[in-house]
Amino acid sequence: MKRALITGITGQDGSYLADLLLEKGYEVHGIIRRASTFNTSRIDHLYADPHVNGVRMFLHYGDVSDSANLLKLLYDLKPDEIYQLAAQSHVRVSFDIPEYTADVTGVGTIRVLEAIREAGLRSRFFQASSSEMFGKAQQTPQTEKTPFWPRSPYGVAKVFSYWATVNYRESYGLCASNGIMFNHESPRRGETFVTRKISRAVAAIKHGLQKELFLGNLDAKRDWGYAPEYVEAMWRILQRDEGGDFVLATGEAHSVREFVEAAFAHADLDWKQFVKHDPRYERPAEVDVLLGDASKAKKILGWEPKVRFHELVCIMVDADMDSLSRKTAREHLGKLP
């Protein structure tokens, strides 16, 4: 039985990856931060039947800012595969907390890599890199050879992590890989990210629980894919005997405005009646267009996305509509008598 360690297991990608690895028969370990409230909602379903999944999934308190804890954990677990997904991953927020973002999203990766080296392990390592590294893109579409020009503290931190992964691969012979992932969404996306913010607002407006949606730049274009497909690519990358770097993308770019239009139309609503502009959601330095070319991943990994833009939008809106139709969700919003 293979053993995998996932940092950031409670996030969107971490939860889908845990699903996938458990289905493939792995023993899965995840690192979670201690909090005063429950923060495991995305993986709680994995404990529903302990005879099926729970006995093979274990959570450990820790943080990628704590190198001593990471080293001890790796000594104890000796995982076959390590997926470094932990990060402060909100681009706009990274402008407000740049130092914290640099420490967790950037230096956190060095801590994991150094723990692997110090523990003397041969674990295969995956770093969740980001299309935000391209920022002010020097060519379109972006490939593995496109120069980086990050436009946010988050993007800068991800560039640091990317090159740290390459450096440890070249310096110490680690089987370390980067997945340069373009935007990937799902019903498990955090509610402060623009796509989920939109789909949740559509559902709330349709149910009479919300009247307006405030957004920033509607003209920014992104390459949006479906998160469960991207975690499969992560797994495929680590099945190779050598490290490498791969762009993971759909090859299609759509604007935030297009996402808004499609989401509201799916609920038979006119978006112009509800969407308002709020400059607080504008970035100090904007990234206009991100569009990826995943030809290398298709050729070497046999991976290509199947869920396209409009299907993705419908999946997210339908999930939020279903969630808010339940009494408990409506009560949570304080809207029921």
Side-chain angles (χ1 to χ4, degrees), residues 39-309:
N39 59 358
T40 59
S41 60
R42 293 186 181 96
I43 55 175
D44 285 345
H45 66 284
L46 296 175
Y47 289 105
D49 187 349
H51 298 291
V52 176
N53 286 328
V55 74
R56 289 189 286 108
M57 190 173 86
F58 306 88
L59 300 180
H60 308 268
Y61 286 121
D63 195 293
V64 292
S65 65
D66 185 349
S67 55
N69 174 264
L70 288 171
L71 182 57
K72 180 180 182 301
L73 193 58
L74 292 190
Y75 264 125
D76 292 341
L77 296 180
K78 297 178 174 57
D80 300 289
E81 299 171 5
I82 299 173
Y83 297 86
Q84 161 58 356
L85 309 184
Q88 189 301 100
S89 57
H90 198 288
V91 179
R92 177 61 189 85
V93 171
S94 76
F95 286 99
D96 300 322
I97 49 173
E99 184 178 341
Y100 175 78
T101 300
D103 183 51
V104 174
T105 307
V107 182
T109 300
I110 278 280
R111 294 189 183 103
V112 179
L113 287 165
E114 187 63 8
I116 295 172
R117 190 182 73 83
E118 282 287 324
L121 303 180
R122 304 307 299 172
S123 307
R124 297 183 180 185
F125 174 84
F126 175 86
Q127 159 61 19
S129 291
S130 170
S131 59
E132 288 289 332
M133 299 188 303
F134 297 121
K136 190 175 181 179
Q138 300 303 289
Q139 67 181 64
T140 300
Q142 293 89 54
T143 72
E144 292 81 5
K145 296 181 179 179
T146 303
F148 300 139
W149 193 326
R151 299 268 282 172
S152 66
Y154 170 79
V156 171
K158 282 294 186 180
V159 170
F160 180 95
S161 285
Y162 173 92
W163 284 117
T165 301
V166 172
N167 184 256
Y168 272 69
R169 181 171 73 221
E170 296 177 350
S171 299
Y172 304 113
L174 296 187
C175 185
S177 299
N178 283 290
I180 307 174
M181 297 186 290
F182 282 66
N183 292 60
H184 46 288
E185 320 296 320
S186 76
R188 297 185 193 175
R189 188 60 143 149
E191 295 174 357
T192 61
F193 291 85
V194 67
T195 52
R196 182 72 197 291
K197 185 178 178 181
I198 293 167
S199 66
R200 192 172 183 274
V202 168
I205 290 170
K206 189 69 174 180
H207 282 93
L209 304 174
Q210 185 172 327
K211 294 181 179 180
E212 296 175 313
L213 169 61
F214 293 94
L215 296 172
N217 181 14
L218 297 182
D219 296 320
K221 290 186 176 182
R222 294 293 184 269
D223 185 323
W224 275 306
Y226 187 42
E229 296 182 334
Y230 284 59
V231 301
E232 182 190 350
M234 297 179 193
W235 175 79
R236 290 193 183 199
I237 288 171
L238 289 202
Q239 303 321 297
R240 302 177 71 244
D241 293 330
E242 59 182 5
D245 309 310
F246 296 87
V247 164
L248 303 175
T250 70
E252 296 180 13
H254 296 271
S255 68
V256 176
R257 180 179 280 101
E258 289 178 82
F259 198 104
V260 169
E261 290 172 347
F264 277 85
H266 188 60
D268 296 319
L269 296 171
D270 180 1
W271 71 275
K272 294 180 181 179
Q273 295 181 17
F274 306 101
V275 176
K276 312 292 182 184
H277 178 260
D278 189 333
R280 291 178 299 175
Y281 298 120
E282 300 275 358
R283 300 182 187 179
E286 186 56 77
V287 174
D288 297 321
V289 181
L290 292 175
L291 174 63
D293 179 354
S295 297
K296 180 181 176 181
K298 181 178 181 180
K299 179 180 179 181
I300 296 178
L301 306 175
W303 178 87
E304 59 181 324
K306 297 179 177 62
V307 175
R308 295 297 174 174
F309 177 74

